Amino acid sequence: MMNPADLLRFAVAALKGHRLRTGLSLVGMAVGVAAVIVLTALGEGARRYVTGQFSELGTNLVIVVPGKNETTGTVPFTAGVPHDLTLDDARAIVRQVPQVLRLAPISAATETVAFGPRRRQVAVFGTNRDYFRMRHLHMAYGEPLPAGDFERGAPVVVLGRKTARELFGERNPVGEVVRVGGWRMRVIGVMASKGVQIGVDLDDLALVPVATAMKMFDRSSLFRIVIEARGHHQLETIKQRVVALLTERHGEEDVTCLTQDAVLASFSSILGTLTVALAAIAAVSLSVAGLGIMNVMLVSVAERTAEVGLLKALGAGRRQILAVFLAEATLLSLAGGLLGLGSGWLGAKALVALFPALPAAPPAWAVAAALAVALGVG
């Protein structure tokens, strides 16, 4: 009767006797497990990245978009908007919805910003001072857009850090006059570096008062109205009251209100599904490795008929002989699984090193599932 220590020594000796075959089986299992770890880390990293980007947008936000879209929780695409979303609408929301803490009307276009012979085409946002507070934008030089009524359109501009550097080098541009499109504007501030958020490079843009922007772009409609609630529990109340107010003003329900939570939940759901899909794809590789181990053990049994006969002659029963081969298979799959975990962890670290903004890390369920499958195969 073999004790566990004898069984383990016997299995290790048998595997050492076929080093090439054992090595190839280990590599196959390790590749399968590593694929699960790396691909799920990639999917989870993408989900965390998007979540982080939305959290940096600000908190307790409601976004009012012109046009009616029936699908909630997604960023709508609408065409043929029946009524403009105007500055008067923004002013009415501030006046009649008491749960609003801050409100930033936004008008957007692309214009050329020039200083002397230097020029750069950038995104130009028309907004107000509340936008800086809601988006947690800080100043490197000068001050943000002036406070006051939406209709006050002063010829002033705040530049992103990259835009200012391209036009003025390393010197402080506050007080200089630049040309934005066909307008001469005085630089009153430069934002501190913020990077890219949700596809917008906040270092490479220009911010002007919203009334100035609408005259510059020759538009009467706003691109968005962003509202910050006084508390998270008031988001749905604001959403309902804003829709009701604008429906009354426009004569029909022709706007869409998105809460930050709804958009984030939608993206999280999509990316969570993507992570599971990537895990399923990687599981194919793990299954192939498992079939490889099964094939190796089948060949091993066929090759070692004489050894099985000797064990029987020495008094070993069927269960003991089965335990010997199961121990070998388990050792192969466990060692391959652990090797794959290490390789996958290094692969995830390499992803983070190559793309620092992507917080790639395998979810705990993927690690547990990969090891469980590896052991189950054995």
Side-chain angles (χ1 to χ4, degrees):
M1 180 71 180
M2 285 189 184
N3 59 41
D6 291 335
L7 185 64
L8 184 62
R9 281 195 295 270
F10 190 90
V12 170
L15 293 175
K16 284 182 177 179
H18 300 84
R19 294 177 185 273
L20 180 60
R21 191 163 63 194
T22 300
L24 291 175
S25 298
L26 285 175
V27 169
M29 182 58 71
V31 168
V33 173
V36 172
I37 300 302
V38 172
L39 289 179
T40 54
L42 184 62
E44 182 69 8
R47 190 188 66 80
R48 291 183 182 182
Y49 174 78
V50 170
T51 301
Q53 290 283 292
F54 271 93
S55 66
E56 288 183 9
L57 285 178
T59 54
N60 303 331
L61 299 184
V62 177
I63 303 166
V64 186
V65 182
K68 180 63 180 170
N69 188 291
E70 294 298 332
T71 304
T72 59
T74 60
V75 179
F77 175 82
T78 56
V81 180
H83 292 91
D84 289 341
L85 193 59
T86 65
L87 289 176
D88 287 337
D89 291 331
R91 192 178 292 104
I93 293 171
V94 172
R95 198 166 49 239
Q96 299 184 42
V97 183
Q99 292 83 6
V100 172
L101 176 62
R102 297 186 182 95
L103 181 145
I106 299 174
S107 182
T110 301
E111 292 285 355
T112 299
V113 181
F115 177 72
R118 297 183 180 182
R119 59 185 59 243
R120 186 171 184 81
Q121 193 169 50
V122 300
V124 178
F125 283 9
T127 186
N128 63 351
R129 177 168 287 196
D130 280 350
Y131 183 78
F132 289 78
R133 296 169 181 160
M134 294 162 67
R135 295 293 302 274
H136 308 303
L137 301 177
H138 304 289
M139 306 304 297
Y141 307 111
E143 58 184 25
L145 295 175
D149 190 76
F150 300 147
E151 297 291 349
R152 295 179 60 184
V156 295
V157 61
V158 174
L159 300 177
R161 194 77 179 91
K162 184 177 180 181
T163 304
R165 187 180 297 114
E166 292 290 332
L167 296 179
F168 297 95
E170 294 301 325
R171 69 190 180 91
N172 185 347
V174 173
E176 299 286 356
V177 175
V178 297
R179 187 170 291 278
V180 183
W183 290 56
R184 285 169 55 84
M185 295 190 177
R186 182 169 56 88
V187 179
I188 61 170
V190 176
M191 292 192 300
S193 184
K194 190 73 172 178
V196 178
Q197 290 184 358
I198 313 297
V200 178
D201 189 351
L202 295 174
D203 293 340
D204 200 15
L205 50 67
L207 299 174
V208 301
V210 63
T212 302
M214 295 182 77
K215 292 174 185 175
M216 182 190 305
F217 308 150
D218 192 22
R219 293 178 185 170
S220 59
S221 179
L222 294 169
F223 174 63
R224 297 282 189 272
I225 294 177
V226 182
I227 300 167
E228 182 178 358
R230 295 184 183 277
H232 185 271
H233 63 284
Q234 295 175 323
L235 289 175
E236 281 301 319
T237 301
I238 288 180
K239 179 179 174 180
Q240 294 169 11
R241 291 197 174 190
V242 167
V243 169
L245 173 63
L246 296 182
T247 298
E248 181 183 347
R249 288 178 58 83
H250 296 176
E252 61 178 314
E253 188 176 334
D254 60 354
V255 297
T256 301
C257 274
L258 304 172
T259 62
Q260 189 178 9
D261 287 350
V263 178
L264 182 55
S266 179
F267 275 111
S268 292
S269 175
I270 292 168
L271 292 169
T273 303
L274 174 63
T275 301
V276 174
L278 289 173
I281 293 169
V284 174
S285 176
L286 191 56
S287 301
V288 171
L291 290 172
I293 287 181
M294 293 176 193
N295 186 51
V296 165
M297 294 313 301
L298 181 63
V299 170
S300 179
V301 172
E303 285 181 348
R304 292 157 65 185
T305 306
E307 183 181 325
V308 171
L310 181 59
L311 287 172
K312 283 193 171 185
L314 293 173
R318 292 174 58 89
R319 295 187 62 169
Q320 287 180 289
I321 295 171
L322 176 62
V324 168
F325 287 101
L326 281 177
E328 291 179 29
T330 302
L331 280 176
L332 269 179
S333 56
L334 179 60
L338 293 175
L339 185 61
L341 281 182
S343 302
W345 181 80
L346 290 175
K349 291 295 182 184
L351 279 175
V352 174
L354 289 172
F355 308 101
L358 186 69
W365 64 263
V367 175
L371 268 182
V373 170
L375 282 173
V377 165

